[in-house]
Amino acid sequence: MIDDHVSAEIAALDQAANLALRSEPGTATAHSIRHHADDLILELREVRDWAHLRHLREKTERLRVEALDYAQAILLRRHALGPDGGAAEALVSFLCERAGVPAHVAIAACARSESYTRTTDMLRLPPSPDAWHLPVLAHELGHYVIREVSHVRDKEERPLLERADNWHREELIADCYATYALGPAYPLSCVRLRIDPDEVDVTGPSHPSWRIRVHTMTEMLMAMSDKHGRTYSRAVETMIAPAWTALTGEEGNAAEYQAPIPAATVFDLLERHLPRARYEPGGMVGAAERALTGEERRRPGITPAHVLNAVWRLRLDGGVTGETGGRALAMLARGG
């Protein structure tokens, strides 16, 4: 009887992997799904007991979901009603280039919240995310960056990965990276759009509490300010702290806890290994704001990070119109 179950698992996995490969056969992601499926099929053919089969079923189910999500994303992209993914893809390309890592990351549309899958380096996003939600993409990409960034002198060393030795640490490192790469746009997106005030102190098996996460993001901005100027700390004082107070009724989000990994530690690692990834506002955020409001034409030098911070400044200042979101996505799709 177990042989019938094994055969069914193999057939379902084989069909899902082939669908991903047929959807877009020339991509590294599609071939990665097929290779992982082939490896799992070899393991399934060696199954001799139910415990082993149950263990492999968990792996095959995850891979089937990835394969079907990927195929769905490709088909949606080709459909007239589906998103073209241009803004998200341009943001990923920008962040990967600044981090010095290959942009071998696929973006799939899904009905669930944002996530990153290590097996196939696939980022999942809800269809057509707006510019105010897109900063969270940097956090999910951070899980990829953690694994790809090499030491400047030794390609075999993985300085961020060595620190990400449990789920809570990895989540905080990804938060620090997203803040380092996008500045206040990332913590603003979290505080204003993602946190339930009744769940601020809830800790999960894979994620620290939002209080710890937001505190770590603000500490990252303060560390950036200590070395690179007051711009970052002013953002904490004028944008992030007021947003936290509006959400929770608290004047600050400091808590008595031992951080799984201090923001200062991650900041030092990013400064040594990814200095080009740091968000530098300069005068470009103001220029991006003026382009978004139609006051002037888009200026060379505006990056996706500038656009995301500009749309958040406009939102906080009450300067968002019906055209702002569309203009922001169009600017992002052009690379800033």
Side-chain angles (χ1 to χ4, degrees), residues 190-192 195-198 200 214 241-250:
C190 292
V191 175
R192 291 292 299 261
I195 304 175
D196 182 330
D198 292 330
V200 163
V214 174
W244 180 265
T245 299
L247 176 74
T248 65
E250 301 172 2

Side-chain angles (χ1 to χ4, degrees), residues 279-291 296 299-303 305-307 310 313 331:
Y279 166 67
E280 298 186 53
M284 291 295 103
V285 179
E289 282 189 72
R290 293 188 291 275
E296 64 178 48
R299 185 188 304 179
I302 295 174
T303 69
H306 296 134
V307 175
R313 284 203 336 200
M331 287 180 66

Side-chain angles (χ1 to χ4, degrees), residues 47-64:
V47 165
R48 293 293 179 268
D49 59 70
W50 292 101
H52 190 194
L53 178 58
R54 282 191 292 271
H55 171 70
L56 289 180
R57 269 181 173 159
E58 294 179 6
K59 292 184 177 181
T60 57
E61 182 178 359
R62 286 197 298 267
L63 189 55
R64 281 202 311 273

